[in-house]
Structures are given as structure tokens and as C-alpha cells.
């Protein structure tokens, strides 16, 4: 009974360990001790696993008990070690926390003492601080007053210097003093001393005006002695003026002095413009508006422009007869004449002085810029008044474009500087221009299509120039588009250019629709001259637009359209913009597709009517007795079949007629298309619809090779290449009996007993000159030979 007792004790200990293990690994809820079911299940599993059902294994219970005892001792040691080490650490932590708390309380106590002392000290020092603050404020006020007074004194000193220099004619020192005033004014721009600023500006303006008036008066006297302004073409003087050396010296002195006043003059002009004050005529000339905010004109050029400005305003403003809205060319031409007449004077008299002083400007360009500002103001004023008069508005635009062209070419005005074209980019003016352009173009289209010679070519009597045979209406229309292109080509804004391009695309599509309408009226007689003229017109427009697609100007517009997006040109979709970006298409791709479709439809209808007439004439030839014709050996000479004469004459006449009325490229398409249709017709209706004797085959070959093919030989070197079916059919039909039998057997064997190593039947056909017809077609033709056995 000892063994069971030991086993029971072991089981109890195992049960205790299991219960402890379950308690340790649970989610916090210990198993209920009274739950005997779980304990018994665990005990049964443990005994079954450790002891098993073998009674002899009960001898191992002692070893199991010893093992469990060792594990129990190890666990007890671990528990004792942990329980003995945790309290010292906790105690140490609590001790450190207590020390920290005491230290914090000590620090807080010291902080309260220090704060109280500091508060008491500040309360005692507050009267001193208030007293020092008042003293500092007074010192600051006195210091600002001193600076204010020193600034006033400096202004007075500069003013006295200018006055003294003017009394002693020391102009350069006076200019330096005025420049110092201008620099001081720029330094005070952010100051709040408005009265000081006003006093300084008034003083600067006062002395600047006196100095400028004095120099301007002397400069104008020198210019008058040099016969400025030059209003007529200059003439070469034979004898120089007696005081020319003195005048040149004065000019060399006055121009640099005026240039030295430039800074103060620009400052005064800017202040006057910002405050809305009334500007002088010189300032008006120098403050012309432009999109690039150009720098003001240099002072000597402003003074030189005064007499020209007075003349311009006298003649082209107010109630003068020369101020006419219908004659913008009067003032535009006058300004161009002044530019041209003054060019030599500016290059010879003024430019050398500017170069010596080191001013990097062109005297001639500066004068043109000043004169151009007068024109810009006038054009902008007139354009706004002509928005409701189409005729006068168109005339103004034409004159502005012509002026711009002459300004850039004859006067060599730099392209970087704006001319007059930017004035036409105003939204109202540009929209009016587009509207009038479209209106005028539509009216011209109506007139050109209804003109008496609209469908005849003006070069019809000159063969070298009439290759395209374009009717007058089509040529006039493309000239109209080209003129529109030349008008908007120079605009400085790509988006505005693309608007005109959209207008051109719209006009081309409108003209295509008109041509389609006229074509439908003429479709009852496609062989007529007007129908062919319409076809020539479509081909001519398509050819010109294709050339434009490769033009540098339109390629640049294409890139602009890609960068601006699909809304840049009306009618362009996302797909077309993508094709433009990859350079796969052009700006006229959609229009070219519509024109090519129209051209294809018209060409197809033309060939259909031509073939209808030819087939009508060819009916007797198709029904000829090819089987009963005698052999070639029985005839002395071969002649054209009498039944083929009407057909041949019809083909000849139609070819001659199409050659006369169609352009070269269209005629190429026409005769090649006609040859293809005629080849299919003869092959189907003559060859495959009849049986042939040797004489009939020879006669057919003679009719084709000696009569039909030569009709097309006028337009190509080898016309038989365009009649492959008929040519090869004649070769097969004209084979002698032996060759025909061998060929038939070869073709039948290749169909019935073809093996991998046998040569293809096409090689035998190629040796005969047959390349187009298939072997099955050749067998059909061989069966049409009446001379072969078995037929």
C-alpha cells in the first residue's frame, strides 16, 4: 500500500502545481478550489501521461516524486530571492523621492524670499525708472528735432549752393547740388515727416525748374542754330556756318549737363505722375504707356521733341482739317517722315556726345521712341472712336500695320521695343478686328463665287503657270487667307494670333461647304467644266494648306497652341492637341481630312460617270464573236476590231478632256483610276465572259497592246503595268497548244498532288510573265481556250 500512498501524495502536489500554474497564466481570475471536475480531469491527464496503464511503471513513482520535489525547491528559492530583493529597491526609491521633495520645498522657499526682495527693489527703483524714461523721451525728441533741423539746414545749404552757383554760372556744381537734393528726397521717402518732404520737393522742384529752364533755353538756341527741327529731307550744305565750331562746343557742353539732370528730372516726373498733377508737355512725351514699362526718355531728347510735339498736336488735334478720322495715314506718314529726316542729325550730332559721356542709348532710337509715344496716344484715341464704323476701322488697322512694317524695316526700330501693334490687342479693339475681318471675308467669298469668271483659271493660256488649274475663286480665296495671315503675323501675342488662325479655319470650312453646295448642283454632269473646276479648287486649297502646315510661322503657332491648351484654337480637341504636341499633325489636319474626303467623293463620281459612258460604248465589243475569229496566220495584217472603235474613241476623248480640265495631280489620279476600272471591266466582261479561238485571243491581244495601252502611253512609260489582269490574260490565251497543255497539267498536278519538295506553280507562271493572276484564275483562262483538247 506504500506505492499508492506515494502516488496519491504526488498527485496532490501535481494538482497544487497545476492549480498554481493555471492561476499564474489566467487573465486574473483564479480557479475555484471546489471545482473538482477540472482538478480530476487534469490529474487523470497527468497520470496517464506520466504513469500510463502499465502497472510495472509504478516503480518510477519515486523518481517522479524526487523530480517534483526538486522543481518545488527551485521555485521556492526564486520566490524567496524576488521577495528579498524587491523591498530594498522600493525603499531606496522612496528615500530618493523624499529627498527630492525636501529639496524642492527648499528651493521654493528660497524663490519666495528672492522674489520678495526683487519686488521690494523694483518698487524702490520705480521712481528712478520713471524719471529716466522721461529723460530718454526728451532726449529722443531733442535728437529727432536736431536731425530735423540738420536736414533743414542741409536743404538750405544745398539751396544756397545752387543759388550761388547759378549766380557765378557754375552749372556743374549747381547740378551736383540738385542731385544731392534728389538723393535726400529718395532717402526720406519712408519718413513720416510729410511737411519736411513737401518742403524738400518744393525746393528741389524750384531749383530744378530754374536750372532746367536755363539749360533748355540754351540748348534750344543751339538747336535752332543747327536748324532743328528738321522737317524736310536734309540737304548737304556746301559751306559750313562761320560759328560751327562754337556751336559744337556748346552742344558738347549742354548735352552732358542735361543728362546729369536726368535723375532729378525722372524723380520729379514720377512724383507728379503719382500725385496726379498736371504734367508738362515734356513729361507727357516721356511718359507714353507701353506694355514693357520702358524707361523715360533722356532729357536732351525730350527737349528736342518739344517742337515736333507742338506741331503734331497743332495739326492732328482739335478742329484742324488735318485731324480727320478717315485719314490716319496723314499723321502716321508725317511721323515716319520726321524719323527719316532726323536720322542723320541724331547720328552725326547727338550720338557722338552720348558715346563720349558713356550713356548706352541710341539717339536715333530715343527720338523714334518719343515720336512713337505721340502716335500711340493718337491711335488709341482714334481706335476707341471707330469701333462702330467698320470701313474707317479697317482703314485704321491697315494703316497701323503698314506703319509698323515701315517702322521696323525702314527705320530699323528694335523688335524688343513696342510699336503700335500692342494697341490692337485691347479686348474691344481685337474683337472688333476679328468681327470685321470675318464680315469682310464672307462678303468677298460671296462676290468671288458669284463673279462671271469664278470657275475659270486666269492662267489658262499660260501652260507653265497653270499646273494646278485653280479657278479664280479658289485662288482669290487663298489670297484672301494669305492677306489675313500677313496682317496678324506681326502681333506680339500668340493667343491673339491663334484667334485669327481660328477665324481662318472657320473661313476654310465655310468655303468648303459652299463648294459642296455648288458641286451638288453640278453633280448631274460630272464631266462638265464647272464640276472639274470645283474639283481643282478643292485640290488647290488642300495643297496650299498642306504647304502651310510645314511653314515656320504656322509651326510656331502650333507650339503655342500646344502650350496654351485645347481652348487656344476653336475646334481643336484634346486628341488633336496631343497630335500637335507630337508633331504628327498640323493645325489644318481636320480641314485637310474633310477636303480629301470631298475630293475623293468627287473623283469617284467623275470616274463612275466616265466608266458608264465607256461601258455603254463597249457593249458591242463585249459581245463580239471571239470564238469564230480566224487565226492570225489567215490574216495578212492585224487591225483594230471594228466593235472596239467606239470604246477606244470614248477612252481617248475622255482622257484628253480630263487632261485639259484637271490639274496635273488630279489627272494622275483620274487616269490611273480609270485604267484600274477599265482593266477590271475588260477582264470580267470580255475575257471571262467569252471563249476564245487562237485568232480571237490574238485579236484581243492586238486590241489591247497596240491600241488601248498606247492611249495611256502618253501619260506614263509603261501603261501595260496598269492593266495587269488584261495583259496577263492575253499572255495565257495566246499560248500555243503544247505550252497551254503543259501549263494546265502542271497547275492541276500542283493542286491535286502537291508535295513539300515540288516547286510552286507561281514560278512557272512568273516565267511566262504572269504575276498578278492566281493559279486558279489561270486554269479558268486555259479552259476558255477553244483550241485545247477537251474544251
Amino acid at each position: 500500500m506504500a506505492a499508492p500512498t506515494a502516488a496519491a501524495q504526488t498527485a496532490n502536489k501535481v494538482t497544487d502545481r497545476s492549480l498554481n500554474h493555471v492561476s499564474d497564466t489566467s487573465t486574473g481570475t483564479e480557479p475555484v478550489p471546489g471545482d473538482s471536475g477540472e482538478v480530476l480531469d487534469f490529474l487523470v491527464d497527468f497520470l496517464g501521461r506520466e504513469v500510463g496503464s502499465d502497472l510495472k511503471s509504478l516503480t518510477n513513482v519515486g523518481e517522479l516524486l524526487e523530480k517534483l520535489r526538486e522543481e518545488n525547491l527551485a521555485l521556492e528559492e526564486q520566490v524567496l530571492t524576488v521577495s528579498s530583493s524587491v523591498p530594498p529597491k522600493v525603499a531606496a526609491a522612496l528615500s530618493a523621492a523624499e529627498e527630492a521633495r525636501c529639496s524642492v520645498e527648499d528651493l521654493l522657499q528660497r524663490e519666495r524670499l528672492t522674489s520678495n526682495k526683487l519686488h521690494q527693489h523694483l518698487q524702490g527703483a520705480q521712481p528712478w525708472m520713471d524719471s529716466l524714461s522721461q529723460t530718454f523721451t526728451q532726449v529722443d525728441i531733442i535728437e529727432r528735432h536736431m536731425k530735423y533741423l540738420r536736414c533743414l539746414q542741409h536743404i538750405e545749404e544745398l539751396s544756397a549752393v545752387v543759388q550761388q552757383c547759378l549766380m557765378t554760372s557754375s552749372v556743374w556744381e549747381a547740378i551736383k547740388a540738385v542731385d544731392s537734393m534728389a538723393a535726400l528726397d529718395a532717402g526720406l521717402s519712408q519718413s513720416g515727416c510729410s511737411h519736411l518732404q513737401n518742403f524738400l520737393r518744393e525746393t528741389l522742384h524750384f531749383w530744378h525748374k530754374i536750372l532746367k529752364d536755363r539749360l533748355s533755353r540754351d540748348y534750344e538756341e543751339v538747336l535752332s542754330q543747327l536748324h532743328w527741327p528738321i522737317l524736310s529731307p536734309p540737304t548737304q550744305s556746301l559751306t559750313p556756318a562761320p560759328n560751327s565750331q562754337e556751336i559744337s562746343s556748346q552742344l558738347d557742353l549742354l548735352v552732358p549737363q542735361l543728362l546729369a539732370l536726368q535723375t532729378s528730372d525722372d524723380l520729379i516726373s514720377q512724383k507728379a505722375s503719382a500725385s496726379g498733377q498736371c504734367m508738362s508737355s515734356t513729361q507727357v512725351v516721356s511718359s507714353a504707356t507701353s506694355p514693357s514699362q520702358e524707361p523715360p526718355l533722356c532729357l536732351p531728347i525730350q527737349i528736342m521733341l518739344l517742337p515736333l510735339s507742338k506741331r503734331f498736336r497743332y495739326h492732328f488735334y482739335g478742329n484742324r482739317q488735318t485731324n480727320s478720322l478717315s485719314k490716319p495715314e496723314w499723321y502716321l506718314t508725317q511721323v515716319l517722315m520726321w524719323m527719316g529726316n532726323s536720322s542723320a542729325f541724331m547720328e552725326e550730332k547727338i550720338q557722338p556726345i552720348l558715346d563720349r559721356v558713356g550713356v548706352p542709348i541710341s539717339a536715333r532710337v530715343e527720338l523714334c521712341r518719343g515720336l512713337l509715344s505721340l502716335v500711340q496716344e493718337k491711335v488709341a484715341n482714334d481706335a476707341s472712336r471707330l469701333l462702330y464704323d467698320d470701313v474707317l476701322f479697317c482703314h485704321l488697322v491697315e494703316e497701323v500695320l503698314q506703319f509698323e512694317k515701315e517702322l521696323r524695316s525702314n527705320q530699323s526700330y528694335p523688335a524688343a521695343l513696342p510699336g503700335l501693334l500692342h494697341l490692337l490687342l485691347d479686348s474691344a479693339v481685337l474683337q472688333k478686328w476679328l468681327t470685321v475681318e470675318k464680315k469682310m471675308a464672307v462678303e468677298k467669298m460671296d462676290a468671288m463665287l458669284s463673279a462671271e469668271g469664278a470657275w475659270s483659271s486666269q492662267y489658262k493660256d499660260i501652260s507653265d503657270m497653270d499646273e494646278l488649274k485653280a479657278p479664280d475663286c479658289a485662288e482669290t480665296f487663298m489670297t484672301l487667307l494669305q492677306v489675313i495671315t500677313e496682317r496678324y503675323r506681326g502681333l506680339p501675342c500668340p493667343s491673339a494670333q491663334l484667334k485669327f488662325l481660328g477665324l481662318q479655319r472657320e473661313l476654310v470650312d465655310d468655303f468648303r461647304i459652299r463648294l459642296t453646295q455648288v458641286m451638288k448642283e453640278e453633280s448631274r454632269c460630272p464631266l462638265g467644266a464647272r464640276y472639274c473646276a470645283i474639283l481643282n479648287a478643292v485640290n488647290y486649297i488642300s495643297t496650299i494648306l498642306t504647304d502651310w502646315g510645314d511653314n515656320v510661322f504656322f509651326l510656331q503657332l502650333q507650339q503655342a497652341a500646344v502650350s496654351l491648351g485645347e481652348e487656344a484654337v476653336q475646334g481643336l480637341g484634346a486628341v488633336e492637341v496631343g497630335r500637335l504636341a507630337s508633331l504628327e499633325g498640323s493645325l489644318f489636319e481636320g480641314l485637310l481630312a474633310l477636303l480629301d474626303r470631298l475630293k475623293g467623293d468627287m473623283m469617284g463620281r467623275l470616274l463612275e460617270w466616265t466608266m458608264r459612258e465607256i461601258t455603254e460604248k463597249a457593249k458591242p465589243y463585249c459581245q463580239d464573236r471571239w470564238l469564230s475569229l480566224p487565226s492570225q496566220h489567215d490574216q495578212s495584217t492585224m487591225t483594230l476590231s471594228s466593235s472596239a472603235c467606239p470604246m477606244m474613241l470614248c477612252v481617248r476623248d475622255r482622257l484628253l478632256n480630263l487632261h485639259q480640265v484637271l490639274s496635273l495631280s488630279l489627272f494622275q489620279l483620274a487616269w490611273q483610276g480609270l485604267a484600274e476600272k477599265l482593266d477590271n471591266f475588260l477582264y470580267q466582261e470580255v475575257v471571262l465572259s467569252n471563249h476564245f479561238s487562237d485568232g480571237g485571243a490574238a485579236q484581243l491581244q492586238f486590241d489591247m497592246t497596240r491600241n488601248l495601252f498606247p492611249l495611256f502611253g502618253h501619260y506614263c512609260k509603261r501603261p501595260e503595268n496598269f492593266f495587269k489582269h488584261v495583259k496577263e490574260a492575253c499572255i495565257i490565251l495566246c499560248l500555243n497548244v503544247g505550252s497551254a497543255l503543259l501549263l494546265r497539267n502542271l497547275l492541276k498536278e500542283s493542286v491535286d498532288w502537291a508535295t513539300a519538295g515540288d516547286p510552286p506553280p507561281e514560278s512557272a507562271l512568273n516565267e511566262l510573265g504572269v504575276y498578278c493572276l492566281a493559279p486558279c484564275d489561270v486554269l479558268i483562262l486555259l479552259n476558255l481556250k477553244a483550241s485545247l483538247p477537251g474544251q
Side-chain angles (χ1 to χ4, degrees), residues 421 425 430 433-434 484-505 552-554 556-558 560-561 564 568-569 587:
L421 293 183
L425 298 179
L430 183 61
W433 186 5
L434 288 167
I484 294 176
T485 303
E486 293 300 324
R487 277 199 285 265
Y488 76 80
R489 179 190 293 269
L491 290 179
C493 179
S495 61
Q497 292 176 331
L498 288 172
K499 290 182 180 180
F500 282 94
L501 178 64
L503 172 62
Q504 288 179 306
R505 288 164 51 89
V552 175
F553 172 69
F554 288 104
Q556 292 173 346
L557 281 186
Q558 180 173 332
L564 293 176
V569 180
L587 291 168

Side-chain angles (χ1 to χ4, degrees), residues 156-289:
E156 293 290 345
E157 290 175 354
L158 290 176
S159 179
V161 169
V162 175
Q163 183 178 12
Q164 183 66 28
C165 292
L166 289 178
M167 293 175 61
T168 58
S169 299
S170 300
V171 179
W172 279 112
E173 285 74 9
I175 293 174
K176 292 179 181 179
V178 171
D179 284 343
S180 298
M181 285 188 190
L184 182 59
D185 182 80
L188 293 176
S189 59
Q190 302 299 326
S191 173
C193 303
S194 58
H195 297 289
L196 180 62
Q197 289 179 342
N198 293 335
F199 173 72
L200 175 58
R201 289 170 188 172
E202 290 176 0
T203 305
L204 175 62
H205 190 276
F206 174 78
W207 290 118
H208 173 81
K209 185 177 184 303
I210 292 176
L211 191 58
K212 181 179 177 181
D213 290 345
R214 178 174 176 176
L215 294 177
S216 299
R217 184 170 57 254
D218 296 340
Y219 188 53
E220 289 172 354
E221 291 179 1
V222 173
L223 290 176
S224 64
Q225 294 179 14
L226 294 173
H227 308 290
W228 178 266
I230 303 175
L231 304 177
S232 58
T235 57
Q236 188 68 29
S237 178
L238 297 179
T239 58
N243 58 342
S244 59
Q245 188 66 32
E246 180 182 355
I247 295 175
S248 298
S249 300
Q250 293 178 357
L251 191 65
D252 291 344
L253 178 63
L254 289 171
V255 170
Q257 290 176 346
L258 288 171
L259 289 173
L261 276 179
Q262 189 70 45
T263 302
S264 57
D265 189 75
D266 294 344
L267 180 63
I268 291 174
S269 300
Q270 292 172 4
K271 298 297 183 182
S273 177
S275 60
Q277 297 176 5
C278 179
M279 294 183 289
S280 64
S281 58
T282 305
Q283 295 167 350
V284 171
V285 170
S286 63
S287 62
T289 58

Side-chain angles (χ1 to χ4, degrees), residues 12 132 214 251 258 327 400 449 524 540 570 605 677 732 755:
N12 291 333
L132 287 175
R214 178 174 176 176
L251 191 65
L258 288 171
K327 298 294 182 180
V400 167
L449 288 173
R524 291 169 294 184
Y540 175 75
Q570 186 177 3
R605 188 177 287 107
K677 291 181 177 295
I732 299 300
T755 60

Side-chain angles (χ1 to χ4, degrees), residues 27-48:
T27 58
T29 303
E30 295 183 357
V32 180
D35 193 355
S36 59
E38 293 181 0
V39 174
L40 289 176
D41 291 340
F42 179 80
L43 180 60
V44 171
D45 292 339
F46 177 79
L47 291 176

